[in-house]
Amino acid sequence: MKLNHDTITLSRRRFLSGLGACTALGMLSPSLLVPNTARANAQDARLVLTGSHWGAIRAKVVDGRFTEALPFELDKHPTKMIAGLADHVYATSRIRYPMVRVDWLRKRHLSDTSQRGDNRFVRVSWDEALDLFYQELERVQKEYGPSALLTSSGWQSTGMLHNPGAMLSRAIGLHGTSVGTGGDYSTGAAQVILPRVVGAMEVYEQQTSWPLVLQHSKTIVIWGSDPYKNLQVAWWCPDHDEYAYYEELKQKVASGEIKVISVDPTVSSTHDYLGREHVQHIALNPQTDVPLQLAIAHTLYTENLHDKKFLSEYCVGFEQFLPYLLGSTDGQPKDAQWAATLSGIDAETIRALARQMAANRTQIIAGWCVQRMQHGEQWAWMVVVLAAMLGQIGLPGGGFGFGWHYNGAGMPTRKGVILGGFSGASSTAPIHNGDFKNYSSTIPIARFVDAMLQPGSTINWNGKRVVLPMIKMCVFAGTNPFHRHQEYNKMREGWKTLETVISVDNHWTSTCRFADIVLPATTQFERNDIDQFGNHSNRGLISMKQVVPPQFESRNDFDIFRDLCKRFDREAAFTEGLDEMGWLKRIYQDGVQQGKGKSIPMPDFNTFWNEKEYLEFEGGSLWVRHQSFRDDPDLEPLGTPSGLIEIYSKTIADFHYANCQGHPMWFEKAERSHGGPASEHFPLHLQSCHPDYRLHSQLCESETLRAHYTVAGHEPLYLSPQDAAARGIQDGDVVRVFNQRGQVLAGAVISDRYKPGVIRLHEGAWYDPIWDGEHAGLCRYGNPNVLTLDIGSSDLAQATSAHTALVQIERFTGGAQKTAAFMGPKEMVAQCEYVEKPES
Ligand SMILES: Nc1nc2c(c(=O)[nH]1)N[C@H]1C(S)=C(S)[C@@H](COP(=O)(O)OP(=O)(O)OC[C@H]3O[C@@H](n4cnc5c(=O)[nH]c(N)nc54)[C@H](O)[C@@H]3O)O[C@H]1N2
Ligand SMILES: Nc1nc2c(c(=O)[nH]1)N[C@H]1C(S)=C(S)[C@@H](COP(=O)(O)OP(=O)(O)OC[C@H]3O[C@@H](n4cnc5c(=O)[nH]c(N)nc54)[C@H](O)[C@@H]3O)O[C@H]1N2
Ligand SMILES: [Mo]
């Protein structure tokens, strides 16, 4: 089969004028990306098929330059973000050569770490850089042992081979052991509580098929989720097919067949897309979901609307929860009146909501933002308890699900293969396998700055005691901690205790600024790879062909880590004797074998790579989450101690944590808007939700995209007309956003999608602190994590509490502050003064 290369083209200028016509907050209709009139003759350009977190594209290459990303013809709902992909290769922030921080080059691990962040770097050769990397690994293992070394990766790029996180793990793991990390920033709280309650993580798993939801649900409650915005990206290359179901949902909502209720302080993109006039908005005060949920439960119980049979046959512990709900344990019934004061939703609306949910088939679609808060576990637990009281878990179009906004969940899964990829593990033992001394060998990732600041202190974590290690060296590849983590002024203090920080990236992120050795990796467009096409849909496989050669001195992570391994004689264990194409063949041929076992015929590698370029799998059957459990709880028990849904968990109760007890409860937050703690000083709740125009910090480097959302060169700050008026802020003003933890500049966008007291700065905005002078520490671009709070969600999950943060804003009068975030390092020439030769 030959591919049809006569594909759709669209000039950037034309595409951008389409974008410009949208309001800053408006979702661009994906169909705008592929106007039929824009078909052009692409003969003079080379079109290269590749996949990405943003979908599959045909990269247009003119005179050896990647000029434009055209949507792959099978992607019917491409994201507007592909307009930034060419910039990903050419942005001013590309790391050009290996670089070493000036004072670290002079004094190595004895350097002045308070200079980290001043962005002064010296260019070195690859050999020099990798020698330094290796010498530091040796030194740290010998001087301190494995507890002093921490490595981490994150959202990196797609591709089954070029997986920087796996390469980092394998290479470092071949040299020596290091501190392990558990949990993640996405679902840290939910992924720890839900296995205790329903026996599975729930968050990353497949959800009930969309056709069944559309057929059976009468009410859909979208609880703190924004699928329309968040499905633009996925872990593997998305096919975006699920958007067709959102189109159907939109029609059914308009015709009144399905009622959608959005529980969200803001009008989300999904809400806006489905139609403001059709969706019922429960615009609760931020962080007050648990009181609202408890009041719904209270109404269901007191109005006898709960499913007693389901509670007794499929659940344990409703009796232990009930006294708390009714108030006999603490004197406070968790009724609608009580919740109204906290949530800002009047009592009658709450009661009506409970009745509506009990009246017919109700699907609860929960997101993850509400668990990315202090006590985030409680909300996730209450989602399950509410669904259990409604008794529809395991029925089509009923019950709960936590993953609809992610990886195309709800798409029927086609029968196909899942490729293996490059593994972070190796069968070869590490050279250094030292003693962790009295420190724990694994820590919750979101507590890694606490380890820097309080090594040796003990924290609780999901029933274990964790002694935080004394970390001396960090290596990052495919993650940007100075976007990902919270409370940068605290983090910068922690960072000073590190002797050596290494960052492998393709862009000069703020983490590179705060590193000692910076190594330039190729972008995904500069190498060959294979990816899954579609995630839960399993639509097929797609080749990721090299679009352009490596830029500057960048090298594939594979080559970087291979050459590191060479230095300690583990090259063969790292590569297994294969190069890039060798690995791709192996990964693909393993898939062919897997396919044989499943009766899925696949062409051989050469045919796939040279002729077909992508494969589509067939079939896909409809599926209902938790149905097998509902059908036979004895044969298909949940993975909880009782095999049933645990409304009361004896395991958790026995941990004796004050902030996460035996059943879900309301706990006051460290900071809460609308009259809660600290709101008298900082009255505004800071949402740092996931960006509409980026994947976290990725593509913030794209000028093309930034041109469409920045305000006077700053990250947009969304706020209500009331909050703006009260402060004399006009649309387009530069504002200072501040609290006791720090301050950032941003550009005001006034929007009626926000209720008073709620503002938003999207996560992933590049951190750009002013180094010294009057405004020292002020982030010029607008990164919300300067302002967020770095505490664990509770003793149970120790997850991030990024969404527990209050701020104040004012018009900024300090003059124009041009961001330098995207300009790379200040290049210096330095004399090496280091004398203490590392032992080898
Ligand atoms: N475009 C884009 N999509 C993405 C990503 C991206 O960076 N960009 N990242 C991906 C990743 S890694 C993840 S983990 C997911 C994140 O998925 P989520 O964490 O679910 O996403 P958010 O958009 O941050 O938040 C979802 C909704 O929660 C609402 N919300 C905020 N506070 C509250 C509250 O107190 N109560 C209630 N009820 N609602 C609240 C917000 O207004 C928002 O509409 O997104 C994925 N998708
Ligand atoms: N305040 C607040 N903070 C949050 C969140 C929030 O909701 N609010 N959300 C959290 C969530 S859910 C998540 S998942 C995290 C995401 O945090 P991260 O995963 O750290 O975010 P990314 O910006 O995707 O960082 C990936 C980095 O990998 C680099 N990279 C890309 N391709 C390659 C490659 O081929 N090789 C190498 N070596 N590097 C590459 C990119 O340039 C980028 O710097 O953020 C968390 N932080
Ligand atoms: Mo995430």
Side-chain angles (χ1 to χ4, degrees):
M1 187 191 73
K2 265 275 182 211
L3 267 175
N4 176 15
H5 275 195
D6 172 27
T7 184
I8 296 153
T9 62
L10 167 66
S11 83
R12 165 155 307 181
R13 197 173 44 78
R14 188 191 166 97
F15 168 51
L16 293 181
S17 63
L19 272 174
C22 299
T23 61
L25 253 180
M27 273 295 293
L28 176 72
S29 156
S31 62
L32 267 182
L33 283 165
V34 281
N36 291 331
T37 51
R39 282 179 178 277
N41 184 352
Q43 274 165 356
D44 51 338
R46 206 161 57 87
L47 291 176
V48 185
L49 180 66
T50 187
S52 75
H53 286 309
W54 300 272
I57 58 156
R58 291 196 182 271
K60 189 169 172 185
V61 183
V62 181
D63 296 334
R65 199 176 162 87
F66 173 17
T67 56
E68 192 178 1
L70 307 172
F72 179 40
E73 52 278 12
L74 293 191
D75 187 342
K76 300 300 177 212
H77 304 86
T79 159
K80 58 191 179 286
M81 282 188 256
I82 64 173
L85 294 184
D87 291 353
H88 186 57
V89 175
Y90 304 114
T92 50
S93 57
R94 268 313 283 275
I95 310 171
R96 297 162 183 232
Y97 344 96
M99 304 216 64
V100 179
R101 184 169 65 83
V102 71
D103 200 56
W104 197 92
L105 191 60
R106 291 193 188 114
K107 307 196 190 101
R108 302 219 188 162
H109 61 278
L110 308 172
S111 78
D112 174 1
T113 58
S114 71
Q115 291 182 18
R116 252 191 221 121
D118 74 3
N119 210 23
R120 293 181 304 141
F121 283 80
V122 179
R123 178 180 178 177
V124 298
S125 70
W126 266 110
D127 268 345
E128 236 176 306
L130 289 174
D131 284 347
L132 292 171
F133 190 165
Y134 165 58
Q135 286 161 11
E136 277 305 283
L137 287 175
E138 278 290 306
R139 184 186 66 78
V140 165
Q141 288 288 355
K142 286 182 180 156
E143 207 164 304
Y144 304 107
S147 55
L149 176 63
L150 181 138
T151 69
S152 186
S153 62
W155 263 78
Q156 50 192 45
S157 291
T158 50
M160 305 312 282
L161 167 59
H162 294 287
N163 177 335
M167 287 165 181
L168 171 74
S169 296
R170 186 185 295 198
I172 303 296
L174 284 167
H175 180 264
T177 42
S178 57
V179 176
T181 58
D184 61 36
Y185 288 76
S186 306
T187 63
Q191 69 176 245
V192 173
I193 188 82
L194 291 173
R196 304 255 181 227
V197 176
V198 272
M201 268 202 200
E202 298 292 331
V203 284
Y204 300 127
E205 282 133 349
Q206 178 59 299
Q207 306 297 324
T208 300
S209 308
W210 262 118
L212 294 173
V213 175
L214 291 168
Q215 188 186 340
H216 295 277
S217 297
K218 292 283 168 283
T219 304
I220 295 180
V221 181
I222 303 181
W223 203 306
S225 187
D226 198 353
Y228 194 70
K229 165 172 69 69
N230 288 355
L231 288 165
Q232 294 178 91
V233 304
W235 183 247
W236 291 327
C237 178
D239 55 31
H240 294 132
D241 281 350
E242 64 281 4
Y243 278 94
Y245 293 119
Y246 286 87
E247 286 172 356
E248 242 180 275
L249 177 63
K250 186 179 163 88
Q251 285 164 18
K252 286 185 185 264
V253 169
S255 69
E257 256 179 275
I258 295 180
K259 182 179 169 72
V260 167
I261 301 168
S262 175
V263 185
D264 196 311
T266 72
V267 175
S268 70
S269 301
T270 310
H271 178 168
D272 209 37
Y273 168 74
L274 294 175
R276 290 214 209 176
E277 66 282 24
H278 299 304
V279 174
Q280 184 186 346
H281 192 192
I282 304 290
L284 82 175
N285 295 334
Q287 304 190 92
T288 63
D289 298 78
V290 173
L292 180 64
Q293 290 169 309
L294 287 167
I296 294 171
H298 190 274
T299 307
L300 292 176
Y301 182 78
T302 52
E303 298 192 3
N304 201 22
L305 297 170
H306 60 304
D307 188 329
K308 290 158 274 298
K309 189 161 175 286
F310 189 88
L311 288 172
S312 74
E313 281 180 23
Y314 296 95
C315 308
V316 294
F318 188 65
E319 326 61 62
Q320 279 106 322
F321 170 62
L322 201 51
Y324 172 75
L325 186 67
L326 299 178
S328 52
T329 45
D330 60 359
Q332 176 59 64
K334 310 303 174 305
D335 56 18
Q337 203 54 55
W338 167 76
T341 323
L342 289 160
S343 66
I345 305 300
D346 72 84
E348 199 36 49
T349 305
I350 298 175
R351 284 189 283 263
L353 182 58
R355 290 172 203 136
Q356 163 85 25
M357 290 171 80
N360 46 37
R361 191 64 58 82
T362 297
Q363 179 74 59
I364 304 176
I365 289 185
W368 299 341
C369 189
V370 194
Q371 56 86 55
R372 216 174 285 120
M373 292 176 180
Q374 192 184 13
H375 315 120
E377 297 89 347
Q378 306 302 313
W379 168 78
W381 201 345
M382 269 312 293
V383 166
V384 179
V385 171
L386 279 186
M389 290 179 78
L390 295 172
Q392 300 172 7
I393 294 169
L395 294 177
F400 68 89
F402 281 92
W404 299 87
H405 63 287
Y406 189 71
N407 278 352
M411 283 300 300
T413 305
R414 298 191 191 196
K415 191 178 158 205
V417 306
I418 305 281
L419 299 178
F422 187 90
S423 162
S426 159
S427 53
T428 307
I431 297 167
H432 298 278
N433 194 2
D435 184 5
F436 278 87
K437 300 178 183 142
N438 291 320
Y439 298 120
S440 295
S441 58
T442 304
I443 61 168
I445 182 64
R447 305 271 51 80
F448 87 123
V449 171
D450 287 349
M452 295 171 200
L453 288 167
Q454 291 156 341
S457 65
T458 304
I459 60 167
N460 288 313
W461 183 27
N462 199 13
K464 298 181 288 273
R465 301 284 283 165
V466 171
V467 182
L468 295 175
M470 186 171 319
I471 302 169
K472 292 291 176 191
M473 175 172 178
C474 288
V475 188
F476 303 107
T479 182
N480 181 7
F482 271 94
H483 127 68
R484 176 170 83 176
H485 198 69
Q486 286 58 63
E487 208 176 334
Y488 291 153
N489 288 322
K490 171 181 165 185
M491 183 154 154
R492 285 173 63 168
E493 285 309 306
W495 229 242
K496 288 182 191 161
T497 69
L498 300 173
E499 292 174 348
T500 301
V501 180
I502 299 181
S503 175
V504 187
D505 205 304
N506 25 58
H507 286 275
W508 199 267
T509 63
S510 33
T511 300
C512 295
R513 273 198 200 192
F514 282 87
D516 302 310
I517 302 177
V518 177
L519 302 177
T522 52
T523 68
Q524 62 157 89
F525 301 110
E526 294 150 62
R527 57 203 187 204
N528 291 299
D529 215 325
I530 308 181
D531 208 11
Q532 299 289 140
F533 182 48
N535 290 260
H536 285 295
S537 68
N538 207 18
R539 180 152 180 183
L541 301 179
I542 188 159
S543 60
M544 294 173 64
K545 297 257 177 91
Q546 187 188 50
V547 177
V548 288
Q551 301 295 298
F552 305 103
E553 287 190 6
S554 66
R555 307 181 66 191
N556 295 345
D557 294 271
F558 181 79
D559 300 312
I560 299 172
F561 287 110
R562 181 199 58 209
D563 283 1
L564 178 70
C565 288
K566 239 186 220 168
R567 286 164 164 76
F568 46 87
D569 206 17
R570 289 292 179 274
E571 183 184 4
F574 182 81
T575 63
E576 300 180 27
L578 300 173
D579 61 6
E580 181 183 69
M581 285 318 282
W583 267 99
L584 292 182
K585 266 183 209 154
R586 182 208 274 186
I587 289 168
Y588 182 86
Q589 290 299 350
D590 285 353
V592 172
Q593 282 309 326
Q594 201 193 106
K596 279 189 182 140
K598 296 177 175 174
S599 305
I600 301 161
M602 282 166 62
D604 63 28
F605 177 76
N606 287 336
T607 313
F608 168 74
W609 189 258
N610 297 320
E611 292 173 38
K612 295 210 178 286
E613 296 195 304
Y614 67 89
L615 291 182
E616 282 197 87
F617 300 128
E618 312 265 299
S621 46
L622 302 183
W623 184 78
V624 179
R625 181 145 198 89
H626 303 121
Q627 185 176 36
S628 54
F629 166 66
R630 185 178 189 105
D631 288 350
D632 198 332
D634 294 326
L635 272 182
E636 298 279 347
L638 301 178
T640 54
S642 61
L644 301 172
I645 296 168
E646 304 218 337
I647 294 172
Y648 176 85
S649 164
K650 184 173 181 309
T651 316
I652 295 177
D654 288 348
F655 293 157
H656 301 291
Y657 297 154
N659 50 18
C660 186
Q661 303 185 17
H663 58 72
M665 290 171 69
W666 160 245
F667 297 101
E668 186 54 277
K669 311 293 168 221
E671 297 180 9
R672 186 171 58 76
S673 59
H674 300 89
S679 62
E680 64 279 18
H681 305 297
F682 301 107
L684 304 171
H685 175 86
L686 173 67
Q687 288 197 330
S688 49
C689 293
H690 288 232
D692 195 13
Y693 281 91
R694 293 189 293 263
L695 170 60
H696 313 297
S697 70
Q698 299 190 59
L699 297 189
C700 195
E701 72 275 7
S702 165
E703 263 185 68
T704 309
L705 292 176
R706 281 206 316 280
H708 289 282
Y709 64 82
T710 51
V711 177
H714 303 278
E715 180 72 6
L717 173 127
Y718 300 101
L719 78 168
S720 67
Q722 297 88 334
D723 285 327
R727 291 164 181 79
I729 294 170
Q730 312 275 321
D731 205 73
D733 278 352
V734 176
V735 294
R736 189 174 76 98
V737 192
F738 61 96
N739 62 16
Q740 70 277 35
R741 291 179 287 275
Q743 49 173 346
V744 312
L745 297 185
V749 178
I750 299 172
S751 163
D752 65 356
R753 283 168 57 168
Y754 292 79
K755 67 182 257 173
V758 183
I759 65 161
R760 181 184 293 195
L761 267 178
H762 284 127
E763 57 107 287
W766 282 23
Y767 178 47
D768 183 23
I770 294 177
W771 188 249
D772 47 21
E774 186 194 352
H775 299 299
L778 174 73
C779 171
R780 277 176 291 208
Y781 181 66
N783 182 311
N785 277 325
V786 172
L787 305 159
T788 52
L789 177 61
D790 182 26
I791 55 167
S793 56
S794 81
D795 283 347
L796 192 83
Q798 294 290 4
T800 175
S801 300
H803 289 262
T804 296
L806 297 185
V807 296
Q808 179 58 289
I809 52 180
E810 63 182 21
R811 277 185 53 226
F812 182 65
T813 51
Q817 300 290 332
K818 194 170 182 298
T819 182
F822 309 104
M823 295 312 295
K826 288 180 211 135
E827 207 174 320
M828 313 293 289
V829 180
Q831 283 285 298
C832 190
E833 293 165 12
Y834 182 77
V835 279
E836 184 196 313
K837 203 175 182 313
E839 307 159 40
S840 51

